[in-house]
Amino acid sequence: MNVTTHSEIAEFDALSGPAGQTRGRVLQAVFWVLLIGFVLLAPTMLYPVFVMQLLCFALFACAFNLLIGFTGLLSFGHAAFFGGAAYITGHALTAWGVPPIPGILLGAAFSAALGYVVGALAIRRQGIYFAMITLALAQIVYFFALQLPFTGGENGLQGIPRGHLFGLIDLNQTLNMYYFVAAVFLVGFLIIYRIIHSPFGQVLQAIRENEPRALSLGYNTDRYKLIAFVLSATLAGVAGSTKSIVFQFASLTDAHWQMSGEVILMTLLGGLGTIFGPVVGAFIVVALQQFLSAIGSWVQVVIGATFIACVLLFRRGVVGELARWLKVGSL
Amino acid sequence: MTDIILETRDLQISFGGFLAVKNVNLKIARGTIHAIIGPNGAGKTTVFNLLTKFHAPTAGRILFNGTDITSWKPAEIANHGIVRSFQISAVFPHLTAMENVRLALQRRLGVSYHFWRSKKVLESLDQEAVARLDQVGLKDFAHLRAVELPYGRKRALEIATTLALEPELMLLDEPTQGMGTEDVGSVTDLIRKVSKGRTIIMVEHNLGVVSKLADTITVLNRGEVLAEGPYEVVSKNQAVMEAYMGVSAEEAEA
Amino acid sequence: MSQTMEQTTAAAAAPLLHIRDLHAWYGESHILHGIDLELAEGQLITLLGRNGAGRTTTLRAIMGMVDRRTGSIQIRGQEFIAKPAHRIAPLGGIGYCPEERGIFASLTVGENLMLPPAVGEGGMSLEEIFEMFPNLREVRNRMGTRLSGGEQQMLALARILRTGARLLLLDEITEGLAPVIVKAMGTAIRKLKERGYTIVLVEQNFRFAAPLADRHYIIEHGTVIDRIEAAEVGASMDRLNHYLSV
Amino acid sequence: GISNGVVKIGVLGDMSGVYSTGFSGPGAVAAVKMAVRDFGGKVLGKPIEVISADHQNKADVASSIARKWIDEDHVDMIADLTNSAVALAVQKLASDKHVITMTTGAATSALTGKACTKYGIHYGYDTHALPVGTATAIVKNGGKSWYFITADYAFGHALQNNTAQVVKALGGKVVGASDVPLGSNDFSSYLLQAQASGAQVIGLANAGQDTVNAIKQAHEFGIVQGGQQLAGMLVLISDVKSLGTNVAKGLQFTSAWYWNQDAASRKWMKEYEKFSNGAAPTFPHAADYSLTMAYLKAIKAAGTDNADAVRAELGKMKIDDFFAKGGQIRQDGLLVHDMYLLKVQQPKDGPWDVAKVVRTIPGKDAYFTLAKGGCPLVKS
Amino acid sequence: MDPMMRLILAQGMLGLNNGVFYAMLSLGLAIIFGLLNVVNFAHGALYMTGAFVALILYSYFGIWIGMSWLHIGFWPALVLAPIIVGCFGMLMERYMLRWLYGLDPIYSLLLTFGVTLVLQGLFINFFNASGTPYPGQPESLRGVVNLGFMMFPKYRLFVIVFSIVVCLAVWFVIERTRIGAMLRAGTENPELVKAFGINVPLMITLTFGFGSGLAGLAGVLAAPIYSVSPLMGADLIIIIFAVVVIGGMGSIMGAVATGIALGLIEGVTKVFYAPAANTVIFFLMVVVLLVRPAGLFGRTR
Ligand SMILES: Nc1ncnc2c1ncn2[C@@H]1O[C@H](COP(=O)(O)OP(=O)(O)OP(=O)(O)O)[C@@H](O)[C@H]1O
Ligand SMILES: Nc1ncnc2c1ncn2[C@@H]1O[C@H](COP(=O)(O)OP(=O)(O)OP(=O)(O)O)[C@@H](O)[C@H]1O
Ligand SMILES: [Mg+2]
Ligand SMILES: [Mg+2]
């Protein structure tokens, strides 16, 4: 029996002695400062809606990374959770007049449930099959998004009201909306950071690196994988819900497989299995789309080429390469 | 009558019609080291996989301390004290040696599903983890990542991790494979040391190691038990000589 | 061109196969720890040793079928250590018969037989092969794995004879065969030797190998621990028994 | 005065998808630019700038572009908005931000009905006006039972509903419908369903390439030979061209404009062909030209580009040019003007003369009345 | 005949028509997967490229070389397009995928996904996202055949027969020829095949080329039926993935049979509940996963 099945994703061979560890800590601190500083100050320098979009996708990518980077499972159907939650939140806000935060929670709950079903089915097969199955299941979700009466089919759910936070703060004010999104992002990011650095996270990493061994140590790996899947789906849902409030829109684009591909690109580009990588990756991809939109559909070519370059030349991603270059364990 | 910790009854598995293990009846006495030898492809690893539920047997039963465990899941087996090592070194390469061992200890705390807690809660285990590493001579390497350890040390780490689960029954698949001579010696000593108070089943090609360690030897050939007994008995067995060494009867007499 | 000339002259004097300090790894497992051996054109040597000693790995290392190898492998004076796996057989004129026989389950006997491409002049014709292994003629259209162990072994040998290889690496060709077939294999190997083939034989069955070999190498733990010429076998029986006994 | 010292017109259209060749696309941008040129490039002494973008037929893409145009680039008016889902989304968003939209490519009558807005103008045609000509003619000719093949989004459903109303009002009936995703490339299975339904008429509530594909495949499967009639509810002359007049023979369709309808139109057509390097215009392109002119004239008349003032001016103006005859923009934002029922013919006046005008439908018959539209703004 | 029966048969014919495309595509995918362990996401894009090559040969190539009267028609395209697409596939294997062997197969999936985006983007840029009709359908295949229960276009009938013949031919080549024997042997035990002196890397390149060529061929066949559009392969590839999960990657014939069967099922579903037709395959996939995780013809790898 072949037991060397640990995935080679994010294979670091950099040495990290004690010196590397201190350096790693310093660098992490730098990243934290940069991140929080950026989140707080960005709307003064950049178009706030653009930054909100960035943050939503960054959260989405981080949630996705929880699965691929820290559990070693490539889901090719994460758009289902992102888009699905967007629809649920949109509907709750539009039709039932639910306030924003309960709306987001509803979306997240939906994604969690959906994640449970998809995850339970998909973990029956491994590796490449896992990817194909998640893709196909996401396609079913897409079908429902297209067919169910409340989703508005190809029109999408339009004009979702942003509403008032705690009945007080008007989210139609751009800056209010912005800081709400920033808060959601930071909370989500912290949750992910905590999951990675929890006892549970340790087991996930063990499973990623050597599943049979983890199994022989008495860990019910399928259960852990499923929980990780559900967590990832839930947070992806939070990102989707928030985005639907920002743009007042839930549409098929959010649930389309190309979205699943984009989130993979963001994560890969930033660095699979790194903490800050997906944020950086999301920034690069969203900014690329934004600034390249002038050249129209060439965007897709550029995105595709980035994908190829990433896979061929720097599989560790921007942050992963940086970590290796600075010889620190993880960022 | 000896105390039997593990027993198999007519254990059998076929892969697409190919019987890799046929009618294997093992009785492992508590507190002994039991070696399984046999030519490549005899089914040794497969027997291990059956015992630890990585494969489901096509027929037969497995009894552990008298309980039928045939239908248990791999994780359950491990939780009841049967832990295995692997033919190829099985560590978590990007975790430090200490974290490797700690993963085995961690289950005891019952926090493994706690994704909302900081892993600082695990630090209470650090001391014990280091002690375990010390047992196998890896104390000084506690903070190196496993991928950075030389091969022999990885095997030692694997054994330390396995031990940390305090298994009643340890299964070691070719613990000395791919090691230099010095390492073989130290691992042999290590196994002898840790065998106190527990039962070990091991697969090993290196007969030097087997003869030094094993109380009982089972010889497998083509999925079947060919002979069983202490080293002196098995090594005189005619069938074993032929099947395993290819020395025919006349030659042995000559 | 003069260089090629030199090589050919050198080859005539040098052994056909010359291995020095061969190390090999599977992944991280360091299996061979420095193998040295040599044999001249037309000779037959055996690699003896216990299970797991590394004899199979030696042959696989020659064929480039390990994850990493270092040292030197010269065939007719040409260095092979850095050659990619698929160039080794044609360049060296080698036929390899693997331990598990390597019969392809999804191919018929005929297809299995015709699969390896020619690596040299003068390969046996189908007629010659069927003469040598009459059993194979009848089972030509059967699927590879529906053969008895003995037939599979014959097929594995036969298919490399077809290729015109002059250097044969044979791994445990008597493994698990009935005595009568072992005998037949013995006859076949003897015939091949008479025809001038050069052969490396990995064997557990010393009785089978002894009368055929010019020299025995004893391998343990990935190194050659002893080397016994055919003539010395009688005198060295004790030593041999010690190496090989359980 | 002019905000930011420039009048910015954003052409938000389908630049690469199913509607990029007939309804929108580079042809629409050209029409708007030509209008700006013809207006003199300046209004109230300030330059006029035209920017454009591709909404890829996705309402979300469109709204985020529109949002950015309005927030960041200070666009004063958004034109074209082909695709009903896009138009509905952008019209609402822009109105919330007090920016005028002048939709032309999109057809749904909801734009000036339930979903009407203060600054949203629907210019050219709508799903109510289309069947009035075509469906009436067909039902009166005996095509009483209908089966619809419908583009599965706002536009298709609106067109199907409006057509069904006309059919029922004249005593016909609808026996079934198939919803087909936008941009589908195989209509054969839907056509078979339609065939099996036994309906006399297969109504195509779709547009552009979809309509062309459906008609072509109906011919391939011998459905027309089998005795059923096809009715394209929204057909452009470019569609007729790509079908070929043989396949399209006998087809009747309703259009907001036909280039060969009068001298002014022929003249404009020539100008446009010159301006856009030989590309022939469709009626939405003509509408794009006409609406730009109207908008600029309104600014000039109002003396400012302030949305409220310009909108008021647009409501007051008589719109009467080569494109719109007897046109008037109502309170709900709808431009009411005459429509034409065309019939495919063998070309006489050059390659684009694929049809002839059979009947002119006066604006008041073609469009719904203010009261019937259901626009909430109209109450007072 | 009962009209319901008629409709079922008619939709079944269309389903068969789709099914042969599924079969041909999953066949190519299975061949590539079998030998290289690469799941080629770009397979759909290669199919699309095949269709475009046919379109370009007919409508544009002449203009490009300044001979606007030149239209390279369907029959030459049927030969040329697979060759061109096959060559592209070989370049892709040789200069990209090769660097990823030995890594987690996920990377090759991602790489081919990237290739898909690039190809789609390029064709959108040059031909826009909507379909362009392929005008080169051969005269001899125009018109309809009366099947008794429906009028069926001759061309589609040709496609069904031709594709089945191609699938059988591929099956024959793989199961009955020496080249096929090498391929099968390579799938089973590439190491040993290499040791026999067969240039396995070259064989892999050629196989990839062949699999890609099959996709290209399917593209040419599709061109006259569906209008040629940059996105024509995008949704198809996901269906093909589901086909592969249902059928398992076990056997060549398994891929073909599953493809055709699913096309038929899809077609018949249209009769009863048309909106579900696009998804029935995915539901089937779920059922198969629950009952036989390895797929209908699959062996676990
Ligand atoms: N999952 C499997 N599917 C099919 N055949 C298998 C599987 N696992 C093992 N086998 C076959 O079962 C037989 C026994 O294999 P096993 O690995 O148990 O041998 P072993 O005695 O451990 O040999 P070695 O000393 O080489 O490790 C072999 O012929 C092997 O090919
Ligand atoms: N693919 C592999 N990966 C890791 N270790 C391996 C592999 N193949 C063989 N080994 C190990 O290498 C060592 C030498 O094996 P080898 O097959 O060369 O032995 P051998 O002398 O031929 O014995 P046998 O009589 O069993 O054939 C053994 O310990 C074996 O377990
Ligand atoms: Mg083994
Ligand atoms: Mg061997």
Side-chain angles (χ1 to χ4, degrees):
Chain A
M1 196 190 79
N2 179 16
V3 289
T4 52
T5 50
H6 93 260
S7 104
E8 270 133 299
I9 285 173
E11 183 80 58
F12 296 104
D13 36 34
L15 292 177
S16 66
Q21 284 181 6
T22 7
R23 203 164 34 224
R25 254 176 237 129
V26 172
L27 231 91
Q28 270 209 24
V30 171
F31 263 87
W32 273 110
V33 170
L34 281 177
L35 181 69
I36 294 176
F38 174 83
V39 169
L40 292 181
L41 299 177
T44 59
M45 300 170 291
L46 296 165
Y47 176 42
V49 178
F50 166 71
V51 187
M52 286 190 264
Q53 189 185 3
L54 274 181
L55 293 179
C56 290
F57 278 111
L59 182 58
F60 184 23
C62 288
F64 178 75
N65 189 36
L66 190 58
L67 204 55
I68 190 170
F70 294 95
T71 322
L73 297 174
L74 172 66
S75 157
F76 222 116
H78 250 48
F81 310 120
F82 186 77
Y87 275 112
I88 297 295
T89 305
H91 185 64
L93 265 64
T94 317
W96 307 331
V98 172
I101 294 185
I104 291 178
L105 292 179
L106 267 177
F110 170 78
S111 289
L114 188 61
Y116 182 82
V117 175
V118 173
L121 277 171
I123 55 174
R124 298 169 72 91
R125 300 294 306 270
Q126 258 113 45
I128 216 79
Y129 278 99
F130 180 90
M132 290 198 279
I133 291 165
T134 45
L135 180 57
L137 291 175
Q139 202 61 18
I140 298 187
V141 175
Y142 183 83
F143 162 73
F144 280 115
L146 188 64
Q147 293 294 338
L148 289 182
F150 79 91
T151 59
E154 305 248 4
N155 304 337
L157 265 181
Q158 309 189 353
I160 298 167
R162 282 181 175 177
H164 289 66
L165 216 49
F166 314 117
L168 292 172
I169 305 165
D170 182 6
L171 291 184
N172 288 307
Q173 299 294 315
T174 306
L175 275 188
N176 290 351
M177 186 71 221
Y178 177 82
Y179 283 104
F180 175 63
V181 173
V184 170
F185 167 78
L186 284 175
V187 169
F189 188 79
L190 280 172
I191 291 176
I192 290 167
Y193 183 86
R194 172 40 61 84
I195 294 174
I196 294 168
H197 295 93
S198 71
F200 177 75
Q202 282 276 291
V203 180
L204 285 190
Q205 192 179 352
I207 292 173
R208 187 191 82 181
E209 301 208 335
N210 193 340
E211 185 172 343
R213 182 55 172 160
L215 201 55
S216 81
L217 291 181
Y219 290 106
N220 184 347
T221 52
D222 276 356
R223 209 107 147 247
Y224 284 87
K225 286 199 254 177
L226 184 54
I227 294 177
F229 198 96
V230 172
L231 286 172
S232 170
T234 311
L235 287 158
V238 171
S241 295
T242 313
K243 191 197 156 221
S244 76
I245 298 181
V246 171
F247 285 92
Q248 305 179 270
F249 224 112
S251 72
L252 290 173
T253 317
D254 298 335
H256 196 254
W257 58 266
Q258 215 141 334
M259 179 64 80
S260 301
E262 257 166 46
V263 77
I264 297 175
L265 175 61
M266 292 172 192
T267 316
L268 186 67
L269 190 59
L272 297 182
T274 62
I275 295 162
F276 296 95
V279 181
V280 175
F283 280 27
I284 297 176
V285 172
V286 175
L288 263 181
Q289 285 172 341
Q290 192 67 221
F291 296 121
L292 293 181
S293 63
I295 55 168
S297 34
W298 283 102
V299 177
Q300 211 183 10
V301 180
V302 175
I303 299 263
T306 316
F307 232 120
I308 295 173
C310 218
V311 172
L312 287 179
L313 303 176
F314 54 110
R315 276 185 284 281
R316 288 184 189 85
V318 175
V319 173
E321 291 291 347
L322 186 73
R324 196 170 82 107
W325 184 58
L326 295 169
K327 292 201 168 46
V328 297
S330 64
L331 269 179
Chain B
M1 203 200 134
T2 44
D3 179 11
I4 302 299
I5 181 167
L6 187 88
E7 187 182 348
T8 67
R9 297 199 184 143
D10 293 333
L11 202 56
Q12 195 156 314
I13 188 170
S14 74
F15 296 111
F18 166 67
L19 269 179
V21 170
K22 321 177 210 180
N23 295 332
V24 168
N25 291 294
L26 290 174
K27 277 198 164 86
I28 315 287
R30 187 181 307 282
T32 61
I33 298 183
H34 193 120
I36 300 178
I37 63 172
N40 285 125
K44 301 169 303 251
T45 304
T46 309
V47 167
F48 266 40
N49 284 338
L50 287 170
L51 294 182
T52 49
K53 325 305 302 179
F54 279 66
H55 290 320
T58 350
R61 296 203 294 146
I62 305 169
L63 302 175
F64 178 59
N65 284 331
T67 326
D68 190 331
I69 59 166
T70 318
S71 59
W72 289 15
K73 297 245 156 54
E76 262 177 290
I77 297 276
N79 293 339
H80 284 80
I82 306 181
V83 186
R84 71 175 292 182
S85 75
F86 289 84
Q87 182 161 3
I88 296 154
S89 86
V91 292
F92 305 114
H94 300 299
L95 297 177
T96 65
M98 205 259 289
E99 285 171 327
N100 263 275
V101 178
R102 212 171 60 183
L103 260 165
L105 297 170
Q106 176 179 338
R107 293 223 351 275
R108 207 188 295 155
L109 290 184
V111 295
S112 296
Y113 287 111
H114 293 192
F115 56 79
W116 55 90
R117 293 183 56 175
S118 164
K119 70 176 173 190
K120 291 219 163 55
V121 297
L122 300 178
E123 279 168 15
S124 62
L125 301 169
D126 287 2
Q127 234 178 351
E128 186 180 348
V130 174
R132 295 282 176 184
L133 285 173
D134 199 15
Q135 230 179 342
V136 299
L138 285 179
K139 191 177 177 190
D140 297 338
F141 303 94
H143 292 286
L144 275 189
R145 286 190 298 165
V147 69
E148 294 155 27
L149 295 175
Y151 187 76
R153 295 234 145 83
K154 259 183 225 162
R155 298 305 301 233
L157 174 59
E158 194 186 335
I159 291 172
T161 313
T162 308
L163 279 174
L165 289 175
E166 293 287 353
E168 248 186 289
L169 176 62
M170 249 171 105
L171 296 97
L172 307 175
D173 196 355
E174 296 206 38
T176 67
Q177 185 218 303
M179 286 185 180
T181 331
E182 337 73 72
D183 284 339
V184 172
S186 66
V187 168
T188 311
D189 291 341
L190 180 61
I191 293 173
R192 202 202 316 277
K193 201 166 93 187
V194 305
S195 69
K196 305 250 150 29
R198 55 174 58 90
T199 315
I200 292 177
I201 308 179
M202 62 189 284
V203 167
E204 184 55 64
H205 276 312
N206 191 326
L207 284 179
V209 175
V210 172
S211 64
K212 268 187 231 143
L213 288 174
D215 300 301
T216 319
I217 295 172
T218 299
V219 185
L220 279 187
N221 190 33
R222 296 168 181 281
E224 286 176 302
V225 176
L226 198 60
E228 196 171 84
Y231 182 75
E232 303 73 47
V233 176
V234 169
S235 61
K236 299 269 151 46
N237 183 307
Q238 221 25 258
V240 174
M241 291 226 156
E242 266 178 65
Y244 191 49
M245 295 307 308
V247 185
S248 68
E250 307 98 82
E251 269 178 300
E253 274 151 30
Chain C
M1 286 302 109
S2 66
Q3 203 182 344
T4 351
M5 280 302 293
E6 264 170 42
Q7 270 175 7
T8 10
T9 35
L16 179 80
L17 172 68
H18 191 175
I19 296 177
R20 268 164 298 155
D21 196 31
L22 180 64
H23 288 251
W25 287 262
Y26 290 119
E28 292 176 77
S29 310
H30 189 169
I31 304 292
L32 298 187
H33 300 261
I35 298 276
D36 295 281
L37 53 83
E38 58 189 64
L39 87 157
E41 178 105 45
Q43 279 191 325
L44 186 152
I45 58 164
T46 68
L47 307 183
L48 302 175
R50 291 170 169 150
N51 262 146
R55 299 162 302 155
T56 298
T57 308
T58 307
L59 299 193
R60 289 174 59 93
I62 297 173
M63 297 311 298
M65 297 166 78
V66 292
D67 293 339
R68 193 156 71 85
R69 51 181 188 164
T70 63
S72 160
I73 301 168
Q74 290 191 348
I75 301 169
R76 300 189 185 88
Q78 200 179 352
E79 182 57 60
F80 273 71
I81 197 79
K83 292 265 187 293
H86 71 270
R87 307 281 300 137
I88 291 174
L91 281 178
I94 309 179
Y96 170 61
C97 176
E99 189 169 23
E100 319 263 82
R101 300 179 187 131
I103 302 301
F104 295 100
S106 53
L107 274 58
T108 63
V109 170
E111 285 173 331
N112 264 293
L113 202 51
M114 302 308 289
L115 182 76
V119 297
E121 305 277 290
M124 287 189 191
S125 67
L126 276 184
E127 259 325 297
E128 282 175 284
I129 283 177
F130 288 141
E131 216 167 283
M132 198 175 225
F133 304 107
N135 300 27
L136 290 182
R137 197 193 296 270
E138 290 132 49
V139 296
R140 276 190 83 164
N141 293 318
R142 237 184 267 174
M143 291 312 272
T145 42
R146 296 264 172 76
L147 297 182
S148 74
E151 287 161 338
Q152 285 193 16
Q153 192 59 66
M154 291 179 196
L155 176 57
L157 191 56
R159 74 178 165 196
I160 56 172
L161 296 178
R162 234 203 75 252
T163 66
R166 299 295 296 173
L167 170 58
L168 307 181
L169 310 182
L170 311 179
D171 198 348
E172 307 226 12
I173 50 168
T174 61
E175 154 86 7
L177 297 187
V180 42
I181 302 180
V182 174
K183 216 176 221 166
M185 296 304 288
T187 321
I189 300 286
R190 190 161 295 118
K191 272 193 203 149
L192 293 175
K193 219 189 145 190
E194 278 160 17
R195 289 181 178 215
Y197 282 82
T198 314
I199 300 173
V200 180
L201 198 60
V202 167
E203 259 310 323
Q204 299 265 11
N205 189 341
F206 182 66
R207 198 173 120 80
F208 172 81
L212 297 167
D214 294 304
R215 186 161 57 249
H216 303 281
Y217 287 90
I218 317 290
I219 296 185
E220 192 162 307
H221 231 92
T223 48
V224 175
I225 54 164
D226 205 346
R227 167 188 158 135
I228 299 170
E229 296 295 331
E232 308 162 10
V233 167
S236 321
M237 218 48 217
D238 283 351
R239 231 156 89 215
L240 263 170
N241 265 336
H242 168 74
Y243 292 139
L244 301 180
S245 75
V246 177
Chain D
I2 298 294
S3 57
N4 307 302
V6 54
V7 171
K8 244 189 214 177
I9 299 175
V11 184
L12 188 47
D14 174 8
M15 299 297 166
S16 57
V18 280
Y19 299 138
S20 63
T21 42
F23 289 86
S24 178
V29 181
V32 171
K33 286 193 168 150
M34 180 171 145
V36 169
R37 179 201 68 179
D38 292 352
F39 194 81
K42 280 191 166 163
V43 60
L44 301 175
K46 295 288 187 315
I48 306 162
E49 198 182 311
V50 178
I51 59 178
S52 65
D54 182 6
H55 59 52
Q56 300 163 32
N57 287 311
K58 289 178 186 155
D60 54 331
V61 174
S63 2
S64 56
I65 293 172
R67 194 185 286 273
K68 179 160 175 287
W69 273 0
I70 297 167
D71 290 348
E72 290 279 281
D73 302 325
H74 308 291
V75 163
D76 297 294
M77 187 272 277
I78 299 175
D80 197 74
L81 297 175
T82 298
N83 183 318
S84 294
V86 164
L88 286 167
V90 173
Q91 174 171 295
K92 168 143 195 339
L93 179 103
S95 270
D96 286 349
K97 293 177 177 277
H98 303 269
V99 168
I100 291 181
T101 51
M102 298 183 80
T103 303
T104 175
T108 178
S109 53
L111 279 167
T112 54
K114 279 199 202 70
C116 74
T117 62
K118 201 168 158 208
Y119 305 99
I121 288 167
H122 195 187
Y123 201 100
Y125 75 118
D126 71 7
T127 50
H128 186 274
L130 290 170
V132 169
T134 319
T136 307
I138 290 171
V139 180
K140 282 192 174 153
N141 243 332
K144 296 259 183 209
S145 62
W146 286 58
Y147 187 100
F148 286 104
I149 289 182
T150 305
D152 191 12
Y153 73 108
F155 152 70
H157 297 298
L159 189 50
Q160 181 191 329
N161 282 338
N162 286 327
T163 311
Q165 273 164 21
V166 173
V167 170
K168 283 177 196 153
L170 293 171
K173 65 175 195 286
V174 176
V175 298
S178 291
D179 291 342
V180 185
L182 176 63
S184 180
N185 53 20
D186 190 9
F187 285 81
S188 50
S189 63
Y190 309 105
L191 288 164
L192 286 183
Q193 290 310 111
Q195 187 179 38
S197 78
Q200 292 164 308
V201 182
I202 301 176
L204 301 174
N206 50 19
Q209 194 64 48
D210 282 355
T211 309
V212 172
N213 283 343
I215 295 179
K216 268 200 182 149
Q217 285 173 359
H219 276 264
E220 256 178 57
F221 280 84
I223 285 178
V224 181
Q225 293 92 310
Q228 282 171 308
Q229 188 185 350
L230 289 170
M233 300 317 297
L234 175 46
V235 176
L236 302 182
I237 56 166
S238 54
D239 301 336
V240 175
K241 247 325 234 139
S242 68
L243 281 171
T245 34
N246 283 332
V247 173
K249 199 172 69 193
L251 199 65
Q252 294 188 27
F253 58 101
T254 306
S255 181
W257 174 78
Y258 184 58
W259 70 272
N260 209 5
Q261 68 189 37
D262 55 25
S265 298
R266 278 189 288 273
K267 178 163 168 279
W268 183 82
M269 158 99 165
K270 290 242 159 56
E271 280 290 305
Y272 181 92
E273 280 187 325
K274 231 187 286 161
F275 187 79
S276 62
N277 301 320
T282 56
F283 83 75
H285 296 156
D288 274 312
Y289 178 96
S290 170
L291 70 84
T292 309
M293 276 297 182
Y295 176 69
L296 294 174
K297 279 183 195 153
I299 290 181
K300 197 167 163 195
T304 170
D305 66 353
N306 173 283
D308 288 290
V310 175
R311 176 64 184 84
E313 201 58 51
L314 278 167
K316 275 185 270 172
M317 275 161 57
K318 261 258 151 325
I319 298 190
D320 204 43
D321 58 6
F322 73 96
F323 172 77
K325 294 283 180 293
Q328 176 83 48
I329 295 173
R330 295 193 312 214
Q331 191 185 356
D332 56 6
L334 181 67
L335 168 72
V336 178
H337 69 120
D338 295 352
M339 302 284 287
Y340 307 92
L341 182 64
L342 306 184
K343 186 164 187 181
V344 172
Q345 66 168 11
Q346 288 301 328
K348 294 193 197 102
D349 283 349
W352 285 99
D353 190 29
V354 293
K356 64 166 189 283
V357 177
V358 194
R359 188 162 84 84
T360 302
I361 308 152
K364 63 173 177 20
D365 296 343
Y367 293 94
F368 57 69
T369 59
L370 251 189
K372 263 177 109 182
C375 170
L377 294 174
V378 174
K379 296 225 174 60
S380 45
Chain E
M1 203 188 298
D2 170 28
M4 190 61 184
M5 198 57 219
R6 225 169 225 255
L7 186 57
I8 291 176
L9 284 175
Q11 295 287 20
M13 277 308 282
L14 291 179
L16 182 61
N17 191 191
N18 287 333
V20 294
F21 283 109
Y22 297 164
M24 251 209 280
L25 289 172
S26 54
L27 177 60
L29 205 65
I31 292 174
I32 290 175
F33 182 81
L35 192 65
L36 290 76
N37 206 13
V38 163
V39 174
N40 183 15
F41 200 106
H43 212 67
L46 294 173
Y47 157 81
M48 174 269 286
T49 310
F52 266 105
V53 170
L55 177 71
I56 291 171
L57 286 175
Y58 192 88
S59 305
Y60 296 89
F61 184 69
I63 298 174
W64 290 349
I65 59 168
M67 297 191 270
S68 51
W69 43 266
L70 179 70
H71 300 291
I72 301 175
F74 179 78
W75 299 112
L78 204 55
V79 178
L80 286 175
I83 292 176
I84 293 171
V85 175
C87 288
F88 177 80
M90 286 194 268
L91 290 177
M92 190 165 120
E93 193 281 333
R94 182 72 188 68
Y95 292 103
M96 296 184 185
L97 283 169
R98 181 153 300 179
W99 305 107
L100 301 177
Y101 296 150
L103 293 175
D104 196 305
I106 280 171
Y107 284 114
S108 48
L109 181 75
L110 294 182
L111 179 96
T112 48
F113 178 71
V115 172
T116 305
L117 291 184
V118 170
L119 283 176
Q120 268 180 24
L122 285 176
F123 281 109
I124 288 179
N125 277 306
F126 292 112
F127 296 91
N128 97 30
S130 67
T132 316
Y134 175 73
Q137 183 177 352
E139 210 50 58
S140 53
L141 294 175
R142 278 176 214 244
V144 285
V145 185
N146 193 340
L147 295 181
F149 52 90
M150 77 183 298
M151 305 296 262
F152 202 71
K154 251 192 218 164
Y155 178 77
R156 291 197 188 221
L157 210 55
F158 159 78
V159 167
I160 293 174
V161 175
F162 184 81
S163 308
I164 291 177
V165 169
V166 168
C167 288
L168 289 176
V170 171
W171 174 81
F172 181 84
V173 168
I174 290 182
E175 297 293 332
R176 291 281 180 271
T177 65
R178 193 176 130 77
I179 295 180
M182 277 191 208
L183 261 174
R184 274 175 288 145
T187 319
E188 255 184 68
N189 188 347
E191 268 212 309
L192 183 58
V193 173
K194 237 189 252 182
F196 285 151
I198 294 173
N199 190 342
V200 175
L202 180 68
M203 195 165 93
I204 285 179
T205 308
L206 291 175
T207 308
F208 201 92
F210 181 71
S212 308
L214 266 182
L217 180 66
V220 181
L221 288 174
I225 299 184
Y226 315 118
S227 50
V228 181
S229 108
L231 298 174
M232 64 194 285
D235 293 327
L236 201 53
I237 187 69
I238 301 179
I239 295 181
I240 300 300
F241 278 2
V243 171
V244 160
V245 172
I246 293 172
M249 291 279 201
S251 72
I252 302 284
M253 262 313 172
V256 174
T258 316
I260 292 181
L262 288 176
L264 281 171
I265 291 173
E266 200 185 49
V268 174
T269 311
K270 287 201 168 127
V271 180
F272 299 102
Y273 182 53
N278 295 322
T279 342
V280 66
I281 290 185
F282 300 112
F283 283 109
L284 274 177
M285 185 194 79
V286 171
V287 173
V288 169
L289 266 179
L290 290 174
V291 183
R292 273 191 69 117
L296 297 179
F297 301 87
R299 47 192 156 113
T300 26
R301 297 178 58 113

